[in-house]
Amino acid sequence: MGHAGMSAAAVRYLRAEHLPVGVEPLPRPELRCVREDERAPVGQDEFRRVLGSFATGVTVVTAPAGGGEDRPAGFACQSFSSLSLDPPLVAFMVGRTSTTWPRLARAGVFCVNVLAAHQGELCRGFAVRGAEKFAGVAYDAAPVSGSPRLAGTLAWVDCTVHAVHTGGDHLIVVGRVDALGTADEDADPLLFHRGRFV
């Protein structure tokens, strides 16, 4: 299936019309929100404070320009992980209010760029909503998807959207790995811990 086919499949999935080709339907728990007369079990500030104790790597997820668009898409993401070895799958989480996610969904493909310790400013640039994120950023095309593969990163993972699941105020995006590689294996990673880069 070409990029256009995967794009359409990803958007249809988000509209709950059906699953992308080759994705097995899984039972889903009934979604339930906290009612106005209920207290959330954990306050948001406390949730952020405690979960901030978990250090994470930092990535930039990119996608090529879609139909009618003149520039690629990308956003900073610290909720990335490997998911499966057979088949090779990775996952990342993105907020439902993200303005970049719909562009990635339409593309149906993406590249995860694993940032090195010296790329904090690059990360900040991709974390800003509505900015021209690729201005002055060096990149080439990932070999399968054509998504921007940023220069100077530790590693890159080129993917096709495999499935999208709901997760509260976020979406869980699963990608099937089509190609991947490393650059400088001796460089240190960019880490995020307690609200700042370390």
Side-chain angles (χ1 to χ4, degrees):
M1 175 181 289
H3 293 168
M6 277 309 301
S7 170
V11 172
R12 283 196 302 270
Y13 185 92
L14 288 174
R15 292 177 181 157
E17 292 173 11
H18 59 73
L19 295 171
V21 174
V23 177
E24 294 291 326
L26 299 173
R28 295 187 179 199
E30 182 179 341
L31 298 178
R32 178 178 173 277
C33 294
V34 176
R35 296 190 310 262
E36 287 189 19
D37 63 341
E38 290 180 314
R39 184 182 69 82
V42 178
Q44 291 184 5
D45 290 343
E46 182 69 354
F47 184 86
R48 285 192 188 98
R49 186 187 70 78
V50 173
L51 270 293
S53 298
F54 178 61
T56 63
V58 184
T59 69
V60 169
V61 180
T62 60
E69 296 172 348
D70 60 356
R71 64 191 195 284
F75 71 98
C77 177
Q78 66 186 77
S79 57
F80 166 74
S81 70
S82 60
L83 179 62
S84 168
L85 190 59
D86 185 17
L89 301 175
V90 295
F92 68 86
M93 280 60 84
V94 61
R96 287 178 180 240
T97 60
S98 167
T99 56
T100 304
W101 163 246
R103 297 178 62 199
L104 271 77
R106 285 192 296 272
V109 294
F110 62 91
C111 182
V112 178
N113 297 271
V114 180
L115 300 188
H118 68 275
Q119 294 181 303
E121 284 305 313
L122 175 70
C123 178
R124 287 184 184 93
F126 277 91
V128 177
R129 187 179 290 234
E132 179 47 64
K133 299 176 181 180
F134 287 89
V137 174
Y139 65 89
D140 63 3
V144 178
S145 72
S147 301
R149 184 171 56 176
L150 306 181
T153 61
L154 293 183
W156 55 273
V157 187
D158 199 13
C159 302
T160 300
V161 173
H162 182 73
V164 182
H165 304 283
T166 55
D169 58 7
H170 276 60
L171 297 171
I172 303 162
V173 181
V174 179
R176 182 163 185 137
V177 178
D178 298 314
L180 73 173
T182 58
D184 185 355
E185 294 186 13
D186 293 327
D188 291 328
L190 182 63
L191 297 177
F192 193 74
H193 182 243
R194 292 184 174 164
R196 62 186 178 86
F197 296 129
V198 293

